[in-house]
Amino acid sequence: MSVLVLGSANLDLVYDVDRIPAPGETVLARGFASFPGGKGNNQAIAAARCGADVRFVVALGRDASGDRLAEEARRAGIDLRDRRCDAPTGTAVIYVDRGAENSIVVDSGANALLTDLTAAERDDIADADVLVLQLETPLDTVAEAVRTARAGATRVVLNAAPSADLPPGLLGDADVLVVNEHEAAALAGLPAGADERSLLAVLTDRGAAAIITLGAAGALVGVPGAAPVLVPGHRVEAVDTTGAGDTFVGALAAALDRSGDRTPASLVDAAAFATAAAAIAVRRKGAVPSIPTLEEVLDFRG
Ligand code: ADP
């Protein structure tokens, strides 16, 4: 049993400011801190903390940020399959003002160079039980990884985030699509705010299971040809929802890998586990620091 995450890693550079600078303006920060981030990295750490045996295929720069991300991933117990590229490690510069409003600039850096999977990377995909992908990696690579998984028995969890125009067929080829409500609306071609059951119907019409995460309300799970199942959210005091979606996806992958079962009921069980993991994460600050361990999720569920 194992999970392979193929995706992005960034170093998040977070500046606390009184107000976000206007064009041409310089402001002094009140504080600064840097954190590992990127959807792939967060999801790999979430799957590992939730008990999965995780490999992580990622492109990093040959720089101190890349060394730091690699070291933290290894410390989380991840079997890192990092490519070192002639580009800086991805970074996100984040300004957060006193009202918690933020402004973010992302440089994909090395993440944009994760192209043309190597034979070893394709073997790793074929060996895995569950492959987890997001859209911060070149879409051709995502499509190639899906094709490689489909050629074998690897189950594909595609987190179609951030929103992007997907190559035709990709959605139907993933076993489980995971999106939030905004991404679901964009993919379904319906207006933001459309009813979530209508969105789910459009997504599952493409022939694969889909999960729409609904923030505090939990998650709606759909399997083609069956009625949708609502997994209710847990009532918690939300302190910081950063990384909730990534915790959900990583925890879901770990639960699917553990059960090894491909029935609709096991997908609902895995979504219930992921909903609990994500609820714990929103009670704590930060993305990676807030991700719970398997023991914490089991305790929380009682
Ligand atoms: P994203 O962060 O990607 O926009 P959501 O906001 O839908 O995704 O959150 C992902 C998951 O995190 C939800 O399905 C839910 O399980 C959990 N979650 C998010 N916000 C809360 C909250 N306020 N209370 C409890 N659980 C939450």
PDB file of all heavy atoms in Angstrom, residues 177-193:
ATOM      1  N   LEU A 177     -12.392  12.855  -8.422  1.00  0.00           N
ATOM      2  CA  LEU A 177     -12.100  14.272  -8.587  1.00  0.00           C
ATOM      3  C   LEU A 177     -12.452  14.973  -7.275  1.00  0.00           C
ATOM      4  O   LEU A 177     -13.511  14.713  -6.712  1.00  0.00           O
ATOM      5  CB  LEU A 177     -12.985  14.803  -9.719  1.00  0.00           C
ATOM      6  CG  LEU A 177     -12.971  16.301  -9.957  1.00  0.00           C
ATOM      7  CD1 LEU A 177     -11.644  16.725 -10.568  1.00  0.00           C
ATOM      8  CD2 LEU A 177     -14.122  16.667 -10.901  1.00  0.00           C
ATOM      9  N   VAL A 178     -11.553  15.826  -6.773  1.00  0.00           N
ATOM     10  CA  VAL A 178     -11.860  16.582  -5.548  1.00  0.00           C
ATOM     11  C   VAL A 178     -11.729  18.074  -5.854  1.00  0.00           C
ATOM     12  O   VAL A 178     -10.675  18.521  -6.341  1.00  0.00           O
ATOM     13  CB  VAL A 178     -10.909  16.228  -4.387  1.00  0.00           C
ATOM     14  CG1 VAL A 178     -11.327  16.974  -3.110  1.00  0.00           C
ATOM     15  CG2 VAL A 178     -10.880  14.726  -4.133  1.00  0.00           C
ATOM     16  N   VAL A 179     -12.793  18.825  -5.587  1.00  0.00           N
ATOM     17  CA  VAL A 179     -12.789  20.267  -5.846  1.00  0.00           C
ATOM     18  C   VAL A 179     -13.596  20.990  -4.769  1.00  0.00           C
ATOM     19  O   VAL A 179     -14.461  20.385  -4.133  1.00  0.00           O
ATOM     20  CB  VAL A 179     -13.445  20.606  -7.213  1.00  0.00           C
ATOM     21  CG1 VAL A 179     -12.502  20.346  -8.360  1.00  0.00           C
ATOM     22  CG2 VAL A 179     -14.754  19.858  -7.430  1.00  0.00           C
ATOM     23  N   ASN A 180     -13.287  22.280  -4.578  1.00  0.00           N
ATOM     24  CA  ASN A 180     -14.170  23.071  -3.714  1.00  0.00           C
ATOM     25  C   ASN A 180     -15.308  23.636  -4.585  1.00  0.00           C
ATOM     26  O   ASN A 180     -15.367  23.374  -5.789  1.00  0.00           O
ATOM     27  CB  ASN A 180     -13.390  24.150  -2.952  1.00  0.00           C
ATOM     28  CG  ASN A 180     -12.825  25.243  -3.841  1.00  0.00           C
ATOM     29  OD1 ASN A 180     -13.272  25.420  -4.976  1.00  0.00           O
ATOM     30  ND2 ASN A 180     -11.841  25.972  -3.347  1.00  0.00           N
ATOM     31  N   GLU A 181     -16.187  24.418  -3.963  1.00  0.00           N
ATOM     32  CA  GLU A 181     -17.375  24.861  -4.709  1.00  0.00           C
ATOM     33  C   GLU A 181     -17.023  25.767  -5.894  1.00  0.00           C
ATOM     34  O   GLU A 181     -17.637  25.668  -6.953  1.00  0.00           O
ATOM     35  CB  GLU A 181     -18.321  25.609  -3.766  1.00  0.00           C
ATOM     36  CG  GLU A 181     -18.981  24.685  -2.771  1.00  0.00           C
ATOM     37  CD  GLU A 181     -19.728  25.455  -1.709  1.00  0.00           C
ATOM     38  OE1 GLU A 181     -19.087  25.883  -0.721  1.00  0.00           O
ATOM     39  OE2 GLU A 181     -20.938  25.652  -1.876  1.00  0.00           O
ATOM     40  N   HIS A 182     -16.006  26.639  -5.720  1.00  0.00           N
ATOM     41  CA  HIS A 182     -15.624  27.550  -6.810  1.00  0.00           C
ATOM     42  C   HIS A 182     -15.052  26.755  -7.982  1.00  0.00           C
ATOM     43  O   HIS A 182     -15.393  26.993  -9.140  1.00  0.00           O
ATOM     44  CB  HIS A 182     -14.571  28.556  -6.333  1.00  0.00           C
ATOM     45  CG  HIS A 182     -14.981  29.274  -5.091  1.00  0.00           C
ATOM     46  ND1 HIS A 182     -15.954  30.236  -5.098  1.00  0.00           N
ATOM     47  CD2 HIS A 182     -14.596  29.141  -3.806  1.00  0.00           C
ATOM     48  CE1 HIS A 182     -16.146  30.671  -3.865  1.00  0.00           C
ATOM     49  NE2 HIS A 182     -15.330  30.018  -3.061  1.00  0.00           N
ATOM     50  N   GLU A 183     -14.164  25.819  -7.648  1.00  0.00           N
ATOM     51  CA  GLU A 183     -13.549  25.008  -8.710  1.00  0.00           C
ATOM     52  C   GLU A 183     -14.598  24.140  -9.399  1.00  0.00           C
ATOM     53  O   GLU A 183     -14.557  23.947 -10.622  1.00  0.00           O
ATOM     54  CB  GLU A 183     -12.439  24.135  -8.112  1.00  0.00           C
ATOM     55  CG  GLU A 183     -11.252  24.953  -7.594  1.00  0.00           C
ATOM     56  CD  GLU A 183     -10.603  24.385  -6.347  1.00  0.00           C
ATOM     57  OE1 GLU A 183     -10.988  23.290  -5.873  1.00  0.00           O
ATOM     58  OE2 GLU A 183      -9.707  25.078  -5.809  1.00  0.00           O
ATOM     59  N   ALA A 184     -15.557  23.649  -8.614  1.00  0.00           N
ATOM     60  CA  ALA A 184     -16.624  22.808  -9.188  1.00  0.00           C
ATOM     61  C   ALA A 184     -17.434  23.611 -10.200  1.00  0.00           C
ATOM     62  O   ALA A 184     -17.720  23.138 -11.304  1.00  0.00           O
ATOM     63  CB  ALA A 184     -17.533  22.276  -8.077  1.00  0.00           C
ATOM     64  N   ALA A 185     -17.770  24.855  -9.838  1.00  0.00           N
ATOM     65  CA  ALA A 185     -18.571  25.691 -10.737  1.00  0.00           C
ATOM     66  C   ALA A 185     -17.797  25.977 -12.020  1.00  0.00           C
ATOM     67  O   ALA A 185     -18.347  25.892 -13.125  1.00  0.00           O
ATOM     68  CB  ALA A 185     -18.956  26.992 -10.032  1.00  0.00           C
ATOM     69  N   ALA A 186     -16.490  26.277 -11.873  1.00  0.00           N
ATOM     70  CA  ALA A 186     -15.672  26.585 -13.051  1.00  0.00           C
ATOM     71  C   ALA A 186     -15.597  25.361 -13.971  1.00  0.00           C
ATOM     72  O   ALA A 186     -15.752  25.476 -15.190  1.00  0.00           O
ATOM     73  CB  ALA A 186     -14.282  27.032 -12.623  1.00  0.00           C
ATOM     74  N   LEU A 187     -15.389  24.188 -13.386  1.00  0.00           N
ATOM     75  CA  LEU A 187     -15.271  22.969 -14.194  1.00  0.00           C
ATOM     76  C   LEU A 187     -16.586  22.603 -14.862  1.00  0.00           C
ATOM     77  O   LEU A 187     -16.618  22.141 -15.998  1.00  0.00           O
ATOM     78  CB  LEU A 187     -14.867  21.781 -13.310  1.00  0.00           C
ATOM     79  CG  LEU A 187     -13.391  21.565 -13.031  1.00  0.00           C
ATOM     80  CD1 LEU A 187     -13.226  20.297 -12.220  1.00  0.00           C
ATOM     81  CD2 LEU A 187     -12.608  21.474 -14.331  1.00  0.00           C
ATOM     82  N   ALA A 188     -17.676  22.802 -14.112  1.00  0.00           N
ATOM     83  CA  ALA A 188     -18.994  22.413 -14.633  1.00  0.00           C
ATOM     84  C   ALA A 188     -19.513  23.447 -15.633  1.00  0.00           C
ATOM     85  O   ALA A 188     -20.502  23.198 -16.319  1.00  0.00           O
ATOM     86  CB  ALA A 188     -19.980  22.261 -13.473  1.00  0.00           C
ATOM     87  N   GLY A 189     -18.855  24.624 -15.690  1.00  0.00           N
ATOM     88  CA  GLY A 189     -19.312  25.675 -16.592  1.00  0.00           C
ATOM     89  C   GLY A 189     -20.612  26.301 -16.113  1.00  0.00           C
ATOM     90  O   GLY A 189     -21.422  26.768 -16.907  1.00  0.00           O
ATOM     91  N   LEU A 190     -20.823  26.299 -14.793  1.00  0.00           N
ATOM     92  CA  LEU A 190     -22.031  26.902 -14.217  1.00  0.00           C
ATOM     93  C   LEU A 190     -21.617  28.130 -13.400  1.00  0.00           C
ATOM     94  O   LEU A 190     -20.455  28.249 -13.004  1.00  0.00           O
ATOM     95  CB  LEU A 190     -22.746  25.883 -13.314  1.00  0.00           C
ATOM     96  CG  LEU A 190     -23.373  24.691 -14.045  1.00  0.00           C
ATOM     97  CD1 LEU A 190     -23.936  23.669 -13.055  1.00  0.00           C
ATOM     98  CD2 LEU A 190     -24.475  25.167 -14.988  1.00  0.00           C
ATOM     99  N   PRO A 191     -22.558  29.040 -13.138  1.00  0.00           N
ATOM    100  CA  PRO A 191     -22.180  30.240 -12.390  1.00  0.00           C
ATOM    101  C   PRO A 191     -21.772  29.914 -10.956  1.00  0.00           C
ATOM    102  O   PRO A 191     -22.270  28.937 -10.369  1.00  0.00           O
ATOM    103  CB  PRO A 191     -23.458  31.096 -12.394  1.00  0.00           C
ATOM    104  CG  PRO A 191     -24.541  30.238 -12.924  1.00  0.00           C
ATOM    105  CD  PRO A 191     -23.956  29.036 -13.563  1.00  0.00           C
ATOM    106  N   ALA A 192     -20.855  30.728 -10.404  1.00  0.00           N
ATOM    107  CA  ALA A 192     -20.471  30.573  -8.992  1.00  0.00           C
ATOM    108  C   ALA A 192     -21.742  30.677  -8.169  1.00  0.00           C
ATOM    109  O   ALA A 192     -22.611  31.494  -8.471  1.00  0.00           O
ATOM    110  CB  ALA A 192     -19.476  31.652  -8.611  1.00  0.00           C
ATOM    111  N   GLY A 193     -21.865  29.834  -7.157  1.00  0.00           N
ATOM    112  CA  GLY A 193     -23.062  29.890  -6.321  1.00  0.00           C
ATOM    113  C   GLY A 193     -24.155  28.937  -6.802  1.00  0.00           C
ATOM    114  O   GLY A 193     -25.214  28.851  -6.196  1.00  0.00           O
TER     115      GLY A 193
END
